[in-house]
């Protein structure tokens, strides 16, 4: 009986020690950031990075109704394959064509932004958001044009 009482006391102390929370030394697991991958290398060292030659193109003056396009040159300056998951524009008058496959580190490509000025007048400013697995995950390309009749 005495052994059972000691065993129960020990179990109660063990549960209280494991389940209790103290105000000192506890670390919320949500705050832990371990940058190492399973193979022991730094996760940040294995990341895609997209670098554009420029992120703004000014078409200058154009005539209303013209459809124009510009190809933004980029390079994967990271150490992992770059994957562009999509490009979205601020207006239906602007569309982007982008590479659909993997872009290896050191390789380059183009994102072609096309703008249809039909029904537009004056100064126009459009943005295309490029979404990818690079850090940061979103990059904004911009085009401008002055439209006249």
């Amino acid at each position: 009986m005495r052994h059972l009482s000691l065993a129960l006391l020990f179990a109660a102390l063990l549960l209280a020690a494991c389940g209790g929370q103290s105000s000192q030394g506890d670390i919320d697991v949500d705050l832990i950031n371990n940058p190492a991958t399973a193979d022991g290398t730094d996760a940040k060292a294995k990341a895609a990075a997209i670098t554009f030659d420029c992120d703004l193109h000014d078409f200058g003056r154009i005539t209303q109704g013209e459809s124009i396009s510009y190809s933004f040159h980029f390079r994967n300056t990271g150490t992992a394959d770059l994957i562009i998951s999509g490009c979205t524009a601020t207006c239906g008058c602007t569309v982007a064509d982008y590479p659909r496959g993997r872009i290896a580190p050191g390789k380059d490509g183009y994102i072609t932004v096309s703008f249809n000025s039909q029904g537009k007048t004056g100064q126009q400013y459009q943005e295309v958001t490029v979404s990818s697995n690079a850090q940061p995950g979103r990059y904004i390309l911009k085009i401008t044009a002055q439209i006249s009749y």
Side-chain angles (χ1 to χ4, degrees):
M1 183 77 161
R2 184 174 174 199
H3 292 290
L4 182 60
S5 296
L6 285 175
L8 287 174
L9 179 63
F10 180 74
L13 288 172
L14 185 61
L15 286 174
C18 292
Q21 294 190 356
S22 68
S23 61
Q24 288 183 322
D26 287 345
I27 298 174
D28 188 341
V29 293
D30 292 335
L31 299 177
I32 297 172
N33 181 11
N34 184 357
T37 61
D39 65 4
T41 60
D42 185 357
K44 292 181 180 177
K46 288 186 171 183
I50 190 166
T51 304
F52 286 89
D53 292 346
C54 68
D55 61 3
L56 170 67
H57 179 73
D58 185 356
F59 288 106
R61 291 189 172 278
I62 64 170
T63 305
Q64 186 197 48
E66 282 186 74
S67 290
I68 50 180
S69 59
Y70 179 78
S71 294
F72 290 91
H73 177 256
F74 69 88
R75 179 176 301 276
N76 179 0
T77 54
T79 56
D81 286 351
L82 172 67
I83 301 169
I84 299 173
S85 58
C87 292
T88 55
T90 53
C91 173
C93 60
T94 306
V95 295
D97 184 31
Y98 59 94
R100 300 303 200 270
R102 295 175 177 268
I103 298 113
K107 298 298 181 183
D108 59 353
Y110 292 91
I111 295 178
T112 302
V113 176
S114 300
F115 172 71
N116 182 347
S117 67
Q118 185 67 41
K120 305 285 185 187
T121 59
Q123 185 67 39
Q124 296 293 309
Y125 176 86
Q126 302 295 328
E127 293 183 347
V128 172
T129 302
V130 179
S131 300
S132 73
N133 66 330
Q135 291 300 322
R138 293 199 156 107
Y139 197 94
I140 297 177
L141 301 174
K142 301 163 278 286
I143 60 168
T144 63
Q146 179 65 38
I147 303 171
S148 58
Y149 290 102

